[in-house]
Amino acid sequence: AVDESELLTVPDGWKEPAFTREDNPRGLLEESSFATLFPKYREAYLKECWPLVQKALGEHYVNAALDLIEGSMTVTTTKKTFDPYAIIRARDLIKLLARSVPFEQAVRILQDDVACDIIKIGSLVRKRETFIKRRARLLGPKGSTLKALELLTNCYIMVQGNTVSALGPFSGLKEVRKVVLDTMKNIHPIYNIKTLMIKRELAKDPELRTQSWERFLPKFKRKNLKKRKEPKKKNTKKEYTPFPPPQPESQIDKELASGEYFLKERQKKRKQMEEIKAKQADAVKRRQEERNKAFIPPKEKPVVKTKKASTEKKIDIEAIKEKVKNAKKKKLGALPEEEVKLKMAADEKKKKKK
């Protein structure tokens, strides 16, 4: 009896056995070839690294040709080629080189556990300005967002022109494609990065491998920050009535009602002139009032006197009354009682000495 959870998981450290010549000793029956064009600015770099490309493909018995006149790269199988999938990897290699991926990274596609994905993002957004902003959002400030995505997915990502080239394991490429497409749909990559970080931590726990992770993953709600502008004139539907609206009065009906219809031409003209003169008089009066407004003095605010804080000390009335009583008792020019007693004592001493 084997547990079902063990059947669903791949043992740690397990690798698929490599495809050798013993698996296909007779080789391939037909010659296969793939070609791709490259932009002019890649010509100098490809010219330098082409010997390394030929050496890497030569190990898998695949020929590579660089045509600088037509601006194309071609890969073809030989009689010695035994791996039928080698030509597909060689095709991906020249595609990555044409999309500005450096040779050191692109050559990893020849490994068994590495795949690539070229995501076209040019046609996902209509406006060019919006497309440039969202592509810059994918890169982040100083490439920090792209670096975080590379660390979480174990993939090499290259944003170039209207495409995003990704190179790495299959599981990582799936996440990269989702993040890139969401970013182009105006969903910020930080939300997907946060989800990937939580998934990475949950994958470490062996008990949670067979469980659903939805309860742990964050749920982001969309917020409509910009409210729809309401129109100034709102069209309100009138109540339905089966009867048609009354017929509007014609000019003759109006003249008949006011009695103008029966007036002569002179009288009509005179009436029109009087109305015109009355309108002109009103306009002149209104204009004169507007001119006179400049000569009307503005209303002055009443001057409010600020009360100064009294710095003088409060007068003690009772103390003044006591001083006045004491002054009344004393005679004008008379000495105080104490001085009189001292003088009398001094006079007595002088008499005794004599």
Side-chain angles (χ1 to χ4, degrees):
V2 183
D3 190 12
E4 287 183 3
S5 61
E6 290 180 5
L7 293 172
L8 294 170
T9 56
V10 178
D12 294 330
W14 183 86
K15 281 187 179 181
E16 194 175 342
F19 193 86
T20 58
R21 186 173 281 282
E22 293 172 4
D23 297 318
N24 187 19
R26 293 183 182 182
L28 305 174
L29 296 171
E30 294 290 333
E31 186 185 277
S32 301
S33 66
F34 288 101
T36 186
L37 298 171
F38 60 86
K40 186 74 176 172
Y41 61 85
R42 290 291 289 169
E43 188 179 317
Y45 180 78
L46 291 171
K47 205 173 178 180
E48 283 180 15
C49 71
W50 198 249
L52 298 169
V53 175
Q54 286 178 324
K55 188 183 176 183
L57 292 174
E59 292 174 4
H60 297 269
Y61 304 102
V62 177
N63 285 338
L66 178 68
D67 192 347
L68 296 173
I69 296 163
E70 291 183 3
S72 65
M73 294 179 282
T74 313
V75 287
T76 53
T77 56
T78 60
K79 289 179 181 179
K80 291 183 178 180
T81 309
F82 62 89
D83 187 0
Y85 200 72
I87 188 67
I88 304 296
R89 287 181 184 149
R91 179 202 65 182
D92 291 341
L93 173 64
I94 58 174
K95 272 188 179 179
L96 291 168
L97 289 169
R99 295 311 310 153
S100 297
V101 177
F103 171 74
E104 291 78 10
Q105 293 290 340
V107 79
R108 287 170 55 209
I109 196 67
L110 300 174
Q111 297 171 16
D112 288 339
D113 57 344
V114 178
C116 74
D117 188 10
I118 295 169
I119 308 154
K120 292 179 181 178
I121 56 173
S123 59
L124 296 174
V125 185
R126 287 182 181 179
K127 289 184 181 179
R128 184 70 183 168
E129 291 175 3
T130 313
F131 168 73
I132 291 162
K133 282 180 183 176
R134 289 182 188 175
R135 188 179 63 181
R137 193 183 291 168
L138 184 64
L139 292 167
K142 296 180 181 178
S144 58
T145 308
L146 198 68
K147 190 68 181 172
L149 199 61
E150 283 180 350
L151 291 168
L152 289 166
T153 56
N154 296 322
C155 293
Y156 173 80
I157 305 163
M158 181 73 182
V159 181
Q160 176 71 18
N162 293 332
T163 57
V164 178
S165 306
L167 187 76
F170 290 99
S171 58
L173 292 174
K174 190 180 175 183
E175 297 292 345
V176 169
R177 179 171 273 273
K178 185 181 178 295
V179 173
V180 170
L181 294 175
D182 283 353
T183 306
M184 289 295 124
K185 289 175 185 174
N186 203 21
I187 298 167
H188 204 282
I190 196 68
Y191 298 126
N192 287 312
I193 286 168
K194 197 171 184 182
T195 308
L196 286 170
M197 286 171 74
I198 293 162
K199 281 181 179 178
R200 194 181 186 182
E201 292 299 318
L202 291 169
K204 292 176 183 177
D205 193 349
E207 292 179 4
L208 295 169
R209 280 185 180 179
T210 54
Q211 295 178 16
S212 177
W213 291 350
E214 285 185 6
R215 58 201 171 118
F216 301 109
L217 300 176
K219 291 176 183 178
F220 303 105
K221 291 181 181 179
R222 288 189 178 183
K223 292 180 181 179
N224 295 329
L225 298 174
K226 288 184 179 179
K227 291 183 179 178
R228 184 178 168 274
K229 289 182 180 178
E230 292 183 0
K232 288 181 180 179
K233 293 180 180 179
K234 291 183 180 179
N235 297 326
T236 53
K237 287 186 178 180
K238 295 177 182 178
E239 291 182 8
Y240 173 74
T241 53
F243 306 105
Q247 193 175 357
E249 290 184 347
S250 65
Q251 190 67 26
I252 295 165
D253 292 336
K254 288 176 183 177
E255 286 179 0
L256 284 166
S258 62
E260 256 182 78
Y261 185 77
F262 304 104
L263 294 173
K264 293 177 182 178
E265 284 293 326
R266 280 186 201 170
Q267 290 173 333
K268 283 181 182 178
K269 283 182 180 177
R270 195 186 299 158
K271 194 177 182 182
Q272 285 176 359
M273 288 299 293
E274 284 174 3
E275 286 175 1
I276 290 164
K277 283 179 181 179
K279 283 180 182 178
Q280 285 176 350
D282 288 338
V284 169
K285 191 179 179 183
R286 220 178 295 119
R287 217 176 293 128
Q288 195 65 36
E289 284 175 0
E290 285 179 5
R291 285 175 185 169
N292 292 336
K293 279 179 185 177
F295 301 102
I296 296 167
K299 289 183 179 180
E300 292 182 1
K301 292 179 181 179
V303 180
V304 180
K305 290 183 180 180
T306 54
K307 292 180 179 179
K308 291 182 181 179
S310 59
T311 52
E312 295 176 3
K313 293 178 182 179
K314 289 182 180 180
I315 299 161
D316 193 356
I317 296 164
E318 291 181 1
I320 291 164
K321 282 181 180 179
E322 286 180 4
K323 284 181 181 179
V324 170
K325 283 180 182 178
N326 293 331
K328 281 180 180 179
K329 287 177 183 178
K330 290 178 183 179
K331 291 178 182 178
L332 291 169
L335 293 168
E337 291 179 2
E338 291 178 357
E339 288 183 8
V340 170
K341 287 177 181 179
L342 288 168
K343 270 192 174 186
M344 286 174 71
D347 290 338
E348 284 177 3
K349 282 180 181 180
K350 282 179 180 179
K351 284 177 182 179
K352 284 177 181 180
K353 285 179 181 179
K354 286 178 181 180

